[in-house]
Amino acid sequence: MNQQHNCDVLIIGSGAAGLSLALHLAKSSDVIVLSKSAVSEGSTMYAQGGIAAVFDESDSIASHVEDTLVAGAGLCDEAIVNYTASNAKKCLQWLIQQGVAFDKEEDQQGEDSYHLTREGGHSHRRILHAADATGHAIQTTLVDRVKEHNRIRVFERYNAIDLIRKKETDKACIGAYIWNRNTEKVESIFAHKTILATGGASKVYQYTSNPDIASGDGVAMAWRAGCRVANMEFNQFHPTCLFHPKAGNFLLTEALRGEGAILRRPDGSRFMPSFDERAELAPRDIVARAIDFEMKRLGADCMYLDISHKTPEFIKQHFPTIYEKTQSLGIDITKQPMPVVPAAHYTCGGVIVNQQGLTDIKNLYAIGEVTYTGLHGANRLASNSLLECLVFAHAAALDIENSIPPNQQYLTLPDWDESRVTDSDEEVVIQHNWHELRLFMWDYVGIVRTTKRLERALHRVELLQREIQDYYQNFKVSNNLLELRNLVQVAELIIRSAMERKESRGLHYTLDYPDQLAQALPTILKPSVHPQH
């Protein structure tokens, strides 16, 4: 018999979305937050740029909406964009109340005001930031607040395996099976409400700016449970990941270009004005494709990002994290350019939810990068990602607070059956499949696509799925096996979505269909199999 935990609300994921929701709900509910690694790990921790919101009197919500719609290339849900932009300042003020210290400067009247930076696709300065480590400031602050709450339990080093649904007519979600990485045992959690806040799926690609835990777990679990997904073909490749053998997945924030950094070829010549009149401040998809094009045209390993024309004092003040990191690698950015390559960065599609974060399944919510809300369309506008986490955490909290009746009974969940599985002595199978998946996704389903490449990728992923499913049925679970199972499922959804889109729009660019269709429609996939219970 596996150990069962009980709570009012189970939140799977411990980034900005999950922790914000936990803090909103802890006033009235008992909450469990499931964290796959340490609670401080995750994509939020590594976000550099900031959060978009209208704080400047010369700016407007209408302008923020328009910039988002333009970046989204006709595929945004305008009502959702309006809702998000309209609630941005309120949610940022809540975050400030929690203790996040955004950078300030002295205004013309000699009073302190927030220092607002500008990023690609934005028509105004509207990015609140904490130097160039905004995500770190947000994550550490939220973790501190969560630890102060006696109604929030944080389970660190736990993987969610699958959602559990009732077998009665309503088939509502009633919790999840989880794998305790500390004891290597399967346990379960009963919850009246379950929320997926698991982040994106960029680990499906060989080169990514994301931490290792971004393995598409929430999308895969929701799909297996019977949820629809949308727009999975729109994977945002950040144009400027630091290209260095010891840099890992270190990102060079878009705020560098917002403050005047220039992209150069290896010979020092500038190239972005040839691709777009906005040059370095064009949306990310255009900049990433331009870098990819120049690298392939020249046979170059990388391009270069140069901010050395700014004063050393300016660079060290605004980009201390980047300055220290590059210095440690022998690059002095006050005097020389930084080598850069595009890397998978953000998953614009995901689990379909409504304005309250509710999925197709009763009592199952999703918030943050795991979702398709309609905010991002075919391309995410810079610094709208953390904003989406905060706005939809608040929206979901309002809905959940009013929907858990008092004195609800906890149900006994069915036991996890591992009576027919054994320990694996072939971990190399997982490692081999892992590398093969990420390599062919990069080569065939990357920044530039073709129908032939997608067909090859689908053939490969179907073979992998059969092999991994056989492995999953015969051997005890492990972290790598669970992540690989989810990544292969997400890879299939990305490929099938890309094959359905017979046009080039936003982040999806295919040589076989280079033009846009007259009508922009989301790509919606529906599970064809009966959902598991």
Side-chain angles (χ1 to χ4, degrees):
M1 180 178 292
N2 56 262
Q3 182 177 358
Q4 176 175 324
H5 310 271
N6 299 306
C7 61
D8 297 322
V9 178
L10 167 62
I11 300 172
I12 303 173
S14 59
L19 296 185
S20 297
L21 180 60
L23 289 168
H24 286 310
L25 291 176
K27 300 187 291 286
S28 57
S29 303
D30 290 317
V31 179
I32 290 177
V33 175
L34 207 69
S35 181
K36 194 161 70 169
S37 184
V39 70
S40 59
E41 184 67 11
S43 292
T44 297
M45 192 69 171
Y46 299 97
Q48 295 176 357
I51 309 181
V54 175
F55 273 72
D56 188 342
E57 290 182 4
S58 67
D59 194 4
S60 68
I61 289 170
S63 178
H64 188 183
V65 168
E66 179 62 20
D67 290 345
T68 303
L69 295 176
V70 169
L75 262 183
C76 298
D77 182 324
E78 192 165 348
I80 290 294
V81 176
N82 269 295
Y83 176 79
T84 305
S86 299
N87 283 277
K89 187 173 183 179
K90 176 176 69 176
C91 289
L92 264 289
Q93 287 169 330
W94 175 84
L95 199 57
I96 292 163
Q97 289 168 5
Q98 304 310 305
V100 177
F102 291 109
D103 283 8
K104 291 186 175 183
E105 62 180 356
E106 198 173 280
D107 62 20
Q108 294 176 339
Q109 285 74 42
E111 297 180 2
D112 275 353
S113 63
Y114 288 106
H115 178 265
L116 305 173
T117 190
R118 183 181 172 192
E119 295 181 348
H122 288 274
S123 57
H124 291 79
R125 286 181 171 267
R126 64 168 70 98
I127 315 300
L128 275 78
H129 62 101
D132 59 349
T134 308
H136 182 276
I138 293 169
Q139 186 73 16
T140 52
T141 300
L142 292 177
V143 168
D144 288 345
R145 297 290 83 76
V146 161
K147 287 179 177 177
E148 295 169 359
H149 259 286
N150 59 9
R151 297 195 74 175
I152 302 175
R153 288 175 282 166
V154 179
F155 288 17
E156 290 186 292
R157 292 180 52 79
Y158 275 80
N159 294 60
I161 302 173
D162 270 315
L163 299 167
I164 305 172
R165 295 183 61 179
K166 279 185 181 179
K167 293 184 179 179
E168 289 83 27
T169 52
D170 67 355
K171 294 186 173 61
C173 182
I174 52 174
Y177 290 114
I178 59 175
W179 185 63
N180 185 336
R181 294 169 68 175
N182 308 290
T183 64
E184 299 190 350
K185 299 288 186 185
V186 175
E187 302 171 8
S188 61
I189 300 179
F190 172 84
H192 298 301
K193 305 287 181 181
T194 300
I195 298 90
L196 297 169
T198 52
S202 286
K203 199 178 177 182
V204 78
Y205 287 102
Q206 184 177 19
Y207 301 110
T208 174
S209 65
N210 285 196
D212 282 345
I213 61 174
S215 52
D217 303 333
V219 172
M221 285 191 293
W223 176 261
R224 289 194 294 264
C227 291
R228 294 170 300 154
V229 301
N231 282 11
M232 290 299 293
E233 70 271 35
F234 296 114
N235 304 277
Q236 188 173 70
F237 290 83
H238 197 287
T240 54
C241 211
L242 185 61
F243 182 69
H244 190 283
K246 296 181 180 178
N249 51 11
F250 191 76
L251 197 68
L252 295 171
T253 174
E254 193 157 335
L256 281 160
R257 284 176 283 132
E259 295 295 345
I262 294 168
L263 282 162
R264 302 188 187 278
R265 300 182 182 95
D267 66 1
S269 60
R270 190 180 182 189
F271 59 89
M272 275 312 300
S274 302
F275 288 88
D276 193 282
E277 62 183 15
R278 292 165 289 188
E280 280 78 11
L281 289 177
R284 289 176 177 176
D285 58 324
I286 294 170
V287 180
R289 272 202 302 278
I291 294 172
D292 183 67
F293 179 86
E294 289 295 314
M295 285 170 59
K296 288 175 178 172
R297 183 178 72 85
L298 298 170
D301 291 331
C302 62
M303 292 290 115
Y304 292 86
L305 185 65
D306 187 7
I307 198 168
S308 62
H309 51 281
K310 293 284 189 178
T311 66
E313 292 73 26
F314 177 90
I315 293 169
K316 292 173 186 177
Q317 178 188 350
H318 287 274
F319 306 107
T321 307
I322 291 170
Y323 177 77
E324 289 172 15
K325 178 71 172 182
T326 49
Q327 278 284 103
S328 73
L329 299 171
I331 303 167
D332 184 351
I333 65 173
T334 67
K335 298 177 181 177
Q336 62 192 117
M338 297 160 272
V340 296
V341 291
H345 181 60
Y346 191 85
T347 310
C348 286
V351 182
I352 293 178
V353 295
N354 66 10
Q355 191 172 292
Q356 288 71 45
L358 187 62
T359 71
D360 294 333
I361 296 172
K362 185 178 178 183
N363 296 334
L364 178 66
Y365 293 74
I367 51 175
E369 191 178 349
V370 70
T371 65
Y372 165 76
T373 60
L375 173 63
H376 304 307
N379 183 23
R380 176 177 70 87
L381 183 66
S383 291
N384 270 355
S385 51
L386 289 171
L387 176 61
E388 182 183 41
C389 292
L390 297 171
V391 169
F392 284 87
H394 182 254
L398 293 176
D399 197 62
I400 291 168
E401 281 174 343
N402 299 321
S403 61
I404 302 180
N407 305 316
Q408 284 263 65
Q409 296 297 306
Y410 297 135
L411 304 178
T412 300
L413 299 173
D415 271 340
W416 176 263
D417 181 12
E418 55 180 1
S419 59
R420 293 177 295 242
V421 299
T422 60
D423 288 314
S424 170
D425 59 356
E426 299 249 8
E427 187 75 12
V428 67
V429 174
I430 295 177
Q431 293 303 318
H432 177 84
N433 288 348
W434 190 289
H435 293 307
E436 182 183 348
L437 171 70
R438 299 180 75 197
L439 184 60
F440 76 65
M441 285 297 289
W442 183 262
D443 288 342
Y444 299 151
V445 201
I447 295 171
V448 177
R449 300 162 179 175
T450 67
T451 302
K452 182 65 83 176
R453 290 176 192 170
L454 294 175
E455 288 170 349
R456 285 184 188 138
L458 183 61
H459 176 67
R460 296 279 186 89
V461 86
E462 287 173 341
L463 290 173
L464 278 182
Q465 279 181 316
R466 289 195 289 272
E467 192 169 314
I468 292 162
Q469 187 58 26
D470 178 66
Y471 195 100
Y472 181 77
Q473 290 172 342
N474 288 285
F475 298 112
K476 289 182 178 177
V477 299
S478 67
N479 177 64
N480 285 348
L481 176 57
L482 291 172
E483 288 193 339
L484 179 60
R485 177 184 180 230
N486 290 334
L487 277 175
V488 169
Q489 178 60 74
V490 170
E492 185 210 345
L493 297 175
I494 292 170
I495 296 163
R496 290 193 184 280
S497 296
M499 293 177 79
E500 285 203 14
R501 186 162 294 281
K502 309 297 186 187
E503 63 167 347
S504 289
R505 184 183 296 274
L507 299 166
H508 174 73
Y509 185 79
T510 170
L511 296 176
D512 293 315
Y513 301 97
D515 301 320
Q516 280 192 6
L517 295 175
Q519 186 178 14
L521 295 171
T523 305
I524 297 175
L525 300 181
K526 301 176 183 178
S528 57
V529 296
H530 293 294
Q532 62 176 38
H533 301 315

